[in-house]
Amino acid sequence: MTSFIARLPGGPITKAAALVVALAVLGAAVWTGIVVFGPDPACGKGIEERGPEGARECTGVTDGSFVFAPNLKEVSARIKAENERIENEPHVSVAVVLPMAPAQAFEQRKTLHQVQGAYLAQYRANHESNSKKPAIRLLLANPGRSHAHWRPVAEQLGTMSQSTNDNLRAVIGFDVSTATTQAAIGHLTRERGIPVVGGPITADDSGNSAQRPDAYPGLARVVPTTTDQAKALSHFNKGIDPRHTLVVEDIRTGDNYVDALKRAFAERTVGSPRAPEQYRAPEEFHEEGTTANAFDQMVDTICTSAAKVIYFAGRPVQLRQFVNELGNRGCTEKKYTVITGSGASTLSSDKLLDWDAFRKGVTLQYAAVAHPEAWTGPKAPATGGSAAAFRTLAELATGEEIGNIGPVELTDSRTITFYDAGLTAITAIRMRDDGDPVIPTLSRIRDAWLRLHGMGKVDGASGWICLDNYGNPYNKAVSVVELAPDAPGRIRFVGLAWPTGRPTPADCTASRTEAGASASR
């Protein structure tokens, strides 16, 4: 700018005058909204600050160079180092999409575990696969809290999928089933053609089906749907008398996970003498709101019912509030079992949970998508999963070679789920025919989902992942767990359950009848 000003009509001017003019031009540019130097780089390369005043956060995609939250510092550093190590090898990128900096402490721990799982899958692929190609570069993509800024981040990922430098070939992640995450997955798969492997997204309508086979073209899931979880729990608890059941449900709309639980539990409680007890959680369901007050009054009503088993259709914060109030019930002589879905997996790390409730006659049982004892115990079935697959992850997670990624926790299922999601994406990326290029096309990876069953199944740490024709896991094992009353923080394994009522057959492929029934949900 100075050299331009120095040649203004009228001859040269002093540096001081040039500076004055330059500052005036810059001020005018700012005043008129012209961006002179580009986006504010405060958040780092590929990252942009978004959101309203007072709630702005750094969103976008990083290779580990930018740290979204303090508890991600160690694992981000290891991801960055691994990405730099393989940068001169033929490689593709896999992006993890999650709210990377949630406000709640228990959500922060959940995010850490999920990112750790993805890194462990990357490390195994690059170090323990007989040098198979392409190498895997891992990216962290933050769409903001509640996925509020998913669209610009999805557009950024779409651009990277077309870049020969980035070679983005799959997205893994999304850990809640909501309308917002559905929109994000729909954009990535339909508009951008990017294969997606979901994390713990379980709502039935968050996937494909016979009625909507191309709702999310290129989406695969590694965890059982909410309906499959409810079926597995029903088979596991065959002796429950519907006359002694009651449903407690959130009446908010637009929460696909909660809606799926309500439908599934309605089917399981036909014959219950009472209508569901209802409450309304805050629209931002991570917030406390006033639902604890509602549960205080609700518990008095429950005490007058014949209920012994309570099916809870709601999110973790509200589940914790309900369990706390149930522990303080007036009818202390009555015992209750609360049954719910896999969303409860974060409850064990919620510091506000009153563990005394479990010593006062309350049992919380839920369908976990994984547990370390599922395949390592004496009663593990011969099919549906393997101890060897779990031990591969466990040994990797405790080995010194992976570097410091923070304390690794396997019992809450989150690390295992994201490790399996990464493993599934990498299996599809490396599934090649003779003559195929090392760097696969997006369409070839999408088509690879059709091969991940039978002998081509993914031997996940959570159990076999045998995809049906719609990208859903066939008869995926469900770990039935309870929170242990004698050890706060401990998740106690109760047993394995199956959506069909029996372990997955050795051929790991849905029959025509089963595939039709599963897809029609």
Side-chain angles (χ1 to χ4, degrees):
M1 182 179 290
T2 302
S3 61
F4 167 75
I5 294 171
R7 291 174 175 78
L8 287 173
I13 60 176
T14 66
K15 290 184 178 180
L19 178 60
V20 171
V21 176
L23 291 174
V25 173
L26 177 60
V30 172
W31 179 260
T32 57
I34 299 173
V35 178
V36 178
F37 295 113
D40 180 358
C43 285
K45 181 181 178 182
I47 311 295
E48 184 173 337
E49 191 176 52
R50 297 183 175 97
E53 289 298 327
R56 298 181 69 78
E57 56 182 319
C58 293
T59 61
V61 185
T62 180
D63 63 355
S65 301
F66 180 78
V67 179
F68 288 110
N71 69 327
L72 299 180
K73 180 179 178 181
E74 290 84 5
V75 70
S76 295
R78 298 313 307 157
I79 290 170
K80 180 176 185 292
E82 181 63 17
N83 288 341
E84 291 175 346
R85 190 188 69 81
I86 57 95
E87 63 184 355
N88 293 323
E89 301 178 24
H91 64 268
V92 300
S93 299
V94 175
V96 183
V97 177
L98 285 173
M100 295 289 173
Q104 298 79 11
F106 71 93
E107 290 286 334
Q108 293 165 7
R109 285 188 288 273
K110 178 184 77 172
T111 299
L112 171 61
H113 298 165
Q114 293 173 155
V115 173
Q116 288 172 331
Y119 168 71
L120 291 170
Q122 178 199 26
Y123 187 92
R124 178 185 171 184
N126 289 344
H127 291 265
E128 301 181 1
S129 65
N130 197 28
S131 300
K132 290 185 175 66
K133 300 299 180 189
I136 304 301
R137 175 178 179 244
L138 192 63
L139 305 174
L140 301 181
N142 181 24
R145 293 169 186 168
S146 301
H147 296 83
H149 308 293
W150 68 264
R151 186 174 289 277
V153 175
E155 290 295 341
Q156 188 177 356
L157 292 171
T159 300
M160 297 176 84
S161 73
Q162 301 301 315
S163 164
T164 55
N165 291 324
D166 293 306
N167 286 322
L168 179 73
R169 286 299 175 267
V171 163
I172 67 174
F174 300 103
D175 60 353
V176 290
S177 299
T178 63
T180 303
T181 54
Q182 281 189 330
I185 295 170
H187 181 85
L188 288 170
T189 56
R190 289 193 298 268
E191 305 301 324
R192 289 296 194 165
I194 300 174
V196 174
V197 183
I201 49 170
T202 62
D204 296 67
D205 58 358
S206 291
N208 300 312
S209 66
Q211 286 70 36
R212 303 195 318 158
D214 295 316
Y216 307 99
L219 171 66
R221 298 200 279 185
V222 299
V223 299
T225 65
T226 305
T227 294
D228 276 355
Q229 291 178 28
K231 286 181 177 179
L233 287 169
S234 180
H235 290 302
F236 191 80
N237 296 304
K238 290 182 179 179
I240 295 177
D241 186 342
R243 294 173 298 178
H244 294 149
T245 64
L246 178 69
V247 174
V248 173
E249 62 184 23
D250 186 355
I251 59 173
R252 283 181 307 121
T253 59
D255 190 324
N256 306 78
Y257 169 73
V258 173
D259 291 342
L261 281 179
K262 287 192 285 189
R263 289 191 298 269
F265 291 159
E267 295 176 4
R268 303 284 164 309
T269 55
V270 173
S272 174
R274 288 200 180 184
E277 290 288 339
Q278 298 179 324
Y279 68 93
R280 187 186 301 277
E283 287 304 315
E284 178 44 71
F285 52 77
H286 297 306
E287 295 178 357
E288 297 292 319
T290 59
T291 43
N293 302 59
F295 291 138
D296 181 23
Q297 300 167 12
M298 184 187 297
V299 165
D300 291 337
T301 303
I302 292 174
C303 278
T304 66
S305 74
K308 298 178 181 178
V309 175
I310 300 170
Y311 289 92
F312 188 88
R315 288 288 180 177
V317 169
Q318 290 72 46
L319 175 60
R320 179 248 298 159
Q321 293 174 332
F322 177 72
V323 168
N324 287 356
E325 292 299 332
L326 195 60
N328 291 323
R329 66 195 180 283
C331 53
T332 55
E333 74 283 359
K334 292 187 175 183
K335 299 182 184 301
Y336 294 97
T337 296
V338 180
I339 297 177
T340 191
S342 59
S345 63
T346 60
L347 207 62
S348 64
S349 61
D350 189 336
K351 300 301 184 183
L352 297 179
L353 177 64
D354 181 7
W355 286 80
D356 280 341
F358 306 126
R359 291 183 279 270
K360 298 176 181 177
V362 176
T363 299
L364 175 63
Q365 184 183 99
Y366 63 92
V369 298
H371 191 278
E373 297 177 36
W375 304 106
T376 57
K379 297 183 179 180
T383 60
S386 72
F390 173 76
R391 287 182 182 130
T392 296
L393 170 60
E395 291 170 3
L396 185 63
T398 56
E400 295 182 359
E401 64 273 14
I402 64 169
N404 178 22
I405 60 173
V408 179
E409 170 61 60
L410 298 180
T411 57
D412 70 353
S413 79
R414 297 289 175 160
T415 305
I416 296 175
T417 297
F418 271 69
Y419 169 82
D420 279 358
L423 198 62
T424 301
I426 293 163
T427 300
I429 287 169
R430 289 179 169 175
M431 189 176 287
R432 301 175 60 200
D433 294 325
D434 289 342
D436 278 357
V438 173
I439 307 300
T441 62
L442 296 170
S443 61
R444 187 165 69 72
I445 298 169
R446 292 194 301 269
D447 289 345
W449 301 149
L450 302 174
R451 304 275 65 81
L452 299 188
H453 63 90
M455 295 299 292
K457 67 181 179 294
V458 178
D459 197 1
S462 63
W464 290 350
I465 299 164
C466 320
L467 298 184
D468 63 18
N469 290 342
Y470 305 98
N472 299 308
Y474 160 62
N475 196 38
K476 181 67 187 296
V478 171
S479 294
V480 181
V481 301
E482 297 175 355
L483 296 191
D486 55 339
R490 180 179 167 224
I491 302 172
R492 181 172 60 195
F493 178 71
V494 181
L496 275 174
W498 310 87
T500 63
R502 61 190 183 280
T504 306
D507 66 4
C508 204
T509 302
S511 68
R512 179 183 292 273
T513 302
E514 289 171 326
S518 173
S520 64
R521 291 193 300 270

